[in-house]
Every structure is written in C-alpha cells, then in structure tokens.
Amino acid sequence: MSEVVLSTGGTGGHIYPAVATARELLKLGHRVTLLGQLGGMEERIAAEQQLPFFGVQAGKLARSGQGRADPRELLRAGRGLIEARRFLGRLRPAVVVGFGGFASLPGVLSAQSLNIPTVLHEQNARLGLTQRLAARRAKAVGTAYPTIAGLPAGKGVLVGMPVREERLERAEALARLGLDPQRLTLLIMGGSQGSLALNNVLPEVLRAALPNGESPHGPVQVLHACGQRWLSNVAPRVADLPWYTAEGYVDAVAAWSAADLAITRAGTGALAEAAFHGVPTLMVPLPESAENHQLFNARAVEASGAGQVIEQQHVSAQMGAAVLECVAPQRRRTMHSAALARTPAGATRRLTELVLAHARQEAP
Ligand SMILES: CC(=O)N[C@H]1[C@@H](OP(=O)(O)OP(=O)(O)OC[C@H]2O[C@@H](n3ccc(=O)[nH]c3=O)[C@H](O)[C@@H]2O)O[C@H](CO)[C@@H](O)[C@@H]1O
C-alpha cells in the first residue's frame, strides 16, 4: 500500500482527473490526499467527494499565460511552496501526481525538491506552464493526446483523459431529455459555464440552416446547453422552435448518449466525452484559453478525422454549412468511427498504473 498525494486545482478540467485517479487508488487499497489551494474549487470538490484534502497558498506565475505575474501572486506561490514542502516532508508520500494549473505547482515543485518521485498528467495538447516547470524532473508525463507541444523527449506516456465511463441506450437518453427519437440530435455544449460566443450566434445560424428543423438528410433537433446564467437570454430566442431546446445545464452522460453530432469548445473534458460516445464534433476553440491550448486540442481531434475546427470569427459564416455536411450519413459514419477510435476508455486505470510504477517502494 502506498501513500499518494494528488496535486491539483483551479478548474474542473484539472480537478476531475485527479478525483478519478484518487478513487481508483483507494479502490486498490492505497492512501490518498488531494493537495490544492486553500479555499479553491478543489477544496469544495474534495469535501463533496469525501476525499482527504490539504490546502496551501497558491499564486499565478503569469497572467493568462502571458505577461508578468502580479508580485502578490508570486508571494503567494512562494508561501505555498514552503507550506507544501513542510506537509510533504512530514507525510513522505511514495509519489506526488501533478495535474497542472497554478494550484498544483507548490505540491509538485516541493516534492521534487525533497526527491519524492513525481508523475504529471497533462490534459491538453500543449504542455501548460506549471507542467513545463516540472516536466524535466518528473518521472513521466501521462498525456491525453498522442503529441504534446512543448513536452521534453522521452517523458510522455499516452494514457488518455479520465472521463465518466457510462453510456445510456440512445432511446433511453432521448426519453430522459424529452427529445424526439425520429430526429437527429445536435448537442451544443460550450463548457461547464456555457459559452457566450456560441450562445450569441448559434440560435440564429441554426434557424437559418435548418428551416423547420429540416435538413436534406432528415429532421434535426438541437439540445443547447447554454449555461445557467445565459438561459434567460437564449430560451426566448428559440421559444417558437419546437425542435430547439435550450437548457442551462444538462446531464452530460444522457446528452452525449443522445447526440449524433455536437458543437463544442475544445476543452479536453468535453472532447474526451465526445470520443467515448463516438460523437463527431464541430469545435470552436476558446481564443482566450491559456496560450491558446484549445486550438492545439481541436487541431489534434481534427487530424484524427473525428471533428472539424471552426474558428470563432467564422462561426456565423461557416457553421450552418458545416452542420449540413456533417449530418450526411456517410460523413457522420466516418467521423463517428474516428471519434470511437480516440476513446479515452481505461484512461484512469492507465494513469493509476503509471503513477504506481513510479512510486517509491516502502522500506520493508
Ligand atoms: C476555459 C478553459 O481553459 N477550459 C479548460 C478546462 O476545461 P473545463 O473544465 O472548463 O471544460 P471541459 O470542456 O474540459 O469540460 C466541461 C465539462 O462540463 C460538463 N458539462 C458541461 C455543460 C453541461 O451542461 N453539462 C456538463 O456536464 C461536460 O460534460 C464536461 O465534463 O480544463 C480542460 C482540461 O485541462 C482544458 O482542456 C480546457 O481548455
């Protein structure tokens, strides 16, 4: 049995893979602690999931990946390093796993300074800032994509992105969501908060592209997960369209099980779920994502044949035609197979195995 510390925080994209790995380690009889920012989202999620948590201060080393950091943030980062070092020095875990994001930095760098083995998980197709600082001294970097920009040679091991490996029958999923089984289902999912840029244009673009919800390849319905705070803006604009449903937040397992095609941002969480469910995606990368990593994610999926990139400034002009092309049966089948070929099934298990392979053996 090993003591494992999982260092994570900041956004769901960094936290949920850590939670999945922690659960798998517990199942195997190991001890785990989540290490993150005091008062961060990770502290709340750890409590909900009943996982032990240790909080330290954390600070951003750069503003959105560019520019100089705020000196107060640097001070917090420095204090976090001292606090994490003290904690790890006492606990002496067999391995520390870093999931990226500024909140994971104190745990990973202080583990490396104490010669505790570290393994990283990079969720995006471009190595994030925290991971760049830690990759050279890490034992290995588990990756969600086959090729990662900025990764030192010989460190990467493709494990995939941990996702909820649950699937519903299409008919059951459609019934749960109150959707019509006779229509193809187009899911719009902008990320956990929705996407203002997609919300602003897609209702009108799709109204024009799919008159009465009809396409040359059969009737289509839209399920638009627009984000809770945008619902009062989006819902009235589609209230007269019986084939267009706007929801603040949808049950992701049901939505992906029902979908035949999706329009998404290019966060790895959503893209990995799309692959698990075999759903082709028209991806609109978030231009403001740190160091434009979503464009790297989207290009990787596009290269696999499972999706198509439409940059944000071209959504109004190009999305309608792209949807009509992708509902054509032959194109949809090809993209569906390419999506399934990217399945992240087993990612949690593979990452856990990688972590344990580098854990220091306890003295007999
Ligand atoms: C803005 C930003 O920088 N986002 C990053 C963040 O993703 P972030 O966590 O913001 O977004 P993702 O697309 O990765 O995941 C969104 C998650 O929300 C769920 N969902 C969404 C809407 C809904 O109605 N119901 C629902 O359940 C989706 O199923 C998915 O699991 O971390 C990811 C992994 O490091 C990165 O790839 C993303 O680029």
Side-chain angles (χ1 to χ4, degrees), residues 221-294:
Q221 61 195 340
V222 176
L223 175 61
H224 186 156
C226 62
Q228 208 59 51
R229 63 190 159 137
W230 313 116
L231 186 59
S232 59
N233 169 280
V234 177
R237 285 157 52 209
V238 297
D240 62 321
L241 306 176
W243 51 274
Y244 200 125
T245 308
E247 297 277 358
Y249 194 79
V250 294
D251 165 3
V253 170
W256 286 114
S257 301
D260 298 293
L261 174 68
I263 299 175
T264 62
R265 282 298 195 183
T268 298
L271 295 182
E273 289 164 353
F276 180 75
H277 292 273
V279 180
T281 45
L282 292 162
M283 298 162 286
V284 185
L286 175 71
E288 299 84 24
S289 62
E291 299 175 285
N292 212 7
H293 69 261
Q294 287 206 353

Side-chain angles (χ1 to χ4, degrees), residues 88-101:
L88 294 175
R90 263 196 324 269
L91 190 68
R92 302 301 305 180
V95 59
V96 172
V97 195
F99 287 86

Side-chain angles (χ1 to χ4, degrees), residues 120 122 124-129 131-132 135 141 148-152 291:
L120 310 180
E122 174 53 67
N124 295 296
R126 170 173 200 168
L127 205 64
L129 176 60
Q131 308 299 52
R132 281 208 297 280
V141 183
I148 308 296
L151 185 67
E291 299 175 285

Side-chain angles (χ1 to χ4, degrees), residues 155-169:
K155 292 282 178 180
V157 178
L158 179 61
V159 295
M161 175 76 168
V163 294
R164 264 170 78 183
E165 296 188 17
E166 278 172 56
R167 204 178 276 121
L168 298 176
E169 287 301 323

